[in-house]
Amino acid sequence: MSAPQLLSAWAGHWTGVDTGVTVILPPPGTVGSGEVRGGAPATREFALLEPTRLVDRVDAVVLSGGSAFGLAAAEGVMALLRERGSGFPTPAGPVPIVIGMSIFDGSVRTGPPDAASGRAAALAAYAGTELTSGRVGAGTGAGTGTWRGRRDPGGLGLAEGQVGTARVAAVVVVNAWGDVLAPDGEPLFGAAPEAVRPQAPYGMQNTTVAVVLTDARLAKNDCYLLAQSGHTGFARSIHPAHSRYDGDAVVALATGESEADTDLDLLRAVTVDTVAAAVRAAVAPPG
């Protein structure tokens, strides 16, 4: 198996026609939690991420197009991990803990990602295929700015940050109802402000989802707080964020490989900036 592409995690894409899948495969023993703030989520196994639940480890996170239909991509990843002996130990054998998050794209009509798509993305990760950003993987069919009555660029973004010796990385699929904002708070797309007032009172084709990965040693509740900070990163870089028409969700994963103690609140502050940077990277022109 090749070297990992995202800190110590393997990560890969499957890209189809106007849709795709992105899979994050953290090393064994990775602790995870997450939070949903959007009003219209398409998720799989998210209840397991609540801090009060028994299982605290995550074997894979699958980001996909296709809305609720696209959650089927996780089945292919789960089957592959079972073949490899990964998962939560039970008397009947390991049960891989695979979290799914999907965005709404055009494949809802034309054919969403399926189990074979998820397996292909996971195999690309294990093969060491380069992890790229833009309109690739789960970000292939993404767009933004639908509250303006338009379809501005969307996509998948990557960013990294650091707190002392601990590192943090963010993978964000941006398919937002609102606008992506520059660091100065102005929308990145559109004409003069007086010409871009909101046009659409509602919308049903949106969602921004993210995975935050750190090598810090964190408990499950700490990961939950880190996921909350990921949502703050959404609010910094998308307006409006967390609408009733978005399925905004963040999963936070901690591999625990950093030897030094890390201040959780400093890590959370850096996570906010890292997620915001990944959102903007998702819509940046190639090159």
Side-chain angles (χ1 to χ4, degrees), residues 157-160 169-172 174 180-183 188 208 210 212 229-238 250 268-284:
L158 308 169
E160 292 190 14
V171 179
V172 184
V174 184
V180 176
L181 306 179
L188 286 174
T208 298
V212 174
S229 297
H231 280 290
T232 304
F234 287 178
R236 286 262 184 96
S237 54
I238 298 170
V250 178
R268 293 180 67 191
V270 170
T271 294
V272 172
D273 293 336
T274 304
V275 169
V279 169
R280 297 180 183 114
V283 301

Side-chain angles (χ1 to χ4, degrees), residues 142-224:
T144 61
T146 53
W147 80 316
R148 304 286 188 185
R150 303 193 309 256
R151 191 68 168 166
D152 294 327
L156 181 143
L158 308 169
E160 292 190 14
Q162 190 155 349
V163 180
T165 60
R167 298 177 297 163
V168 60
V171 179
V172 184
V173 179
V174 184
N175 188 55
W177 189 55
D179 299 316
V180 176
L181 306 179
D184 64 3
E186 293 298 318
L188 286 174
F189 305 103
E194 63 270 15
V196 293
R197 294 190 181 94
Q199 301 292 322
Y202 64 89
M204 300 300 291
Q205 302 181 27
N206 319 284
T207 283
T208 298
V209 293
V211 177
V212 174
L213 178 73
T214 180
D215 57 8
R217 291 196 303 267
L218 301 180
K220 189 175 185 181
N221 191 67
D222 299 333
C223 287
Y224 180 72

Side-chain angles (χ1 to χ4, degrees), residues 12-283:
H13 303 307
W14 170 83
T15 301
V17 178
D18 296 327
T19 194
V21 180
T22 299
V23 175
I24 314 299
L25 300 161
T30 294
V31 177
S33 187
E35 186 186 47
V36 175
R37 291 195 186 177
T43 58
R44 178 189 191 276
E45 294 279 42
F46 230 82
L48 284 176
L49 298 177
E50 295 175 9
T52 57
R53 304 304 181 197
L54 171 65
V55 177
D56 65 351
R57 307 301 164 96
V58 172
D59 297 301
V61 181
V62 181
L63 311 174
S64 60
S67 189
F69 297 107
L71 294 173
E75 298 299 326
V77 179
M78 191 171 186
L80 178 63
L81 291 177
R82 183 176 185 178
E83 293 168 14
R84 291 171 172 253
S86 300
F88 185 76
T90 78
V95 176
I97 306 302
V98 179
I99 309 303
M101 299 183 285
S102 290
I103 68 164
F104 193 112
D105 60 19
S107 71
V108 172
R109 297 187 189 87
T110 60
D114 57 13
S117 308
R119 185 182 183 94
L123 289 173
Y126 283 136
T129 304
E130 181 184 3
L131 187 66
T132 54
S133 60
R135 296 185 67 81
V136 66
T140 302
T144 61
T146 53
W147 80 316
R148 304 286 188 185
R150 303 193 309 256
R151 191 68 168 166
D152 294 327
L156 181 143
L158 308 169
E160 292 190 14
Q162 190 155 349
V163 180
T165 60
R167 298 177 297 163
V168 60
V171 179
V172 184
V173 179
V174 184
N175 188 55
W177 189 55
D179 299 316
V180 176
L181 306 179
D184 64 3
E186 293 298 318
L188 286 174
F189 305 103
E194 63 270 15
V196 293
R197 294 190 181 94
Q199 301 292 322
Y202 64 89
M204 300 300 291
Q205 302 181 27
N206 319 284
T207 283
T208 298
V209 293
V211 177
V212 174
L213 178 73
T214 180
D215 57 8
R217 291 196 303 267
L218 301 180
K220 189 175 185 181
N221 191 67
D222 299 333
C223 287
Y224 180 72
L225 295 174
L226 203 65
Q228 290 185 328
S229 297
H231 280 290
T232 304
F234 287 178
R236 286 262 184 96
S237 54
I238 298 170
H239 177 73
H242 308 131
S243 78
R244 291 180 297 156
Y245 315 116
D246 290 288
D248 297 348
V250 178
V251 172
L253 305 173
T255 66
E257 295 160 307
S258 179
E259 295 182 0
D261 291 335
T262 303
D263 184 281
L264 177 60
D265 288 294
L266 289 178
L267 184 63
R268 293 180 67 191
V270 170
T271 294
V272 172
D273 293 336
T274 304
V275 169
V279 169
R280 297 180 183 114
V283 301

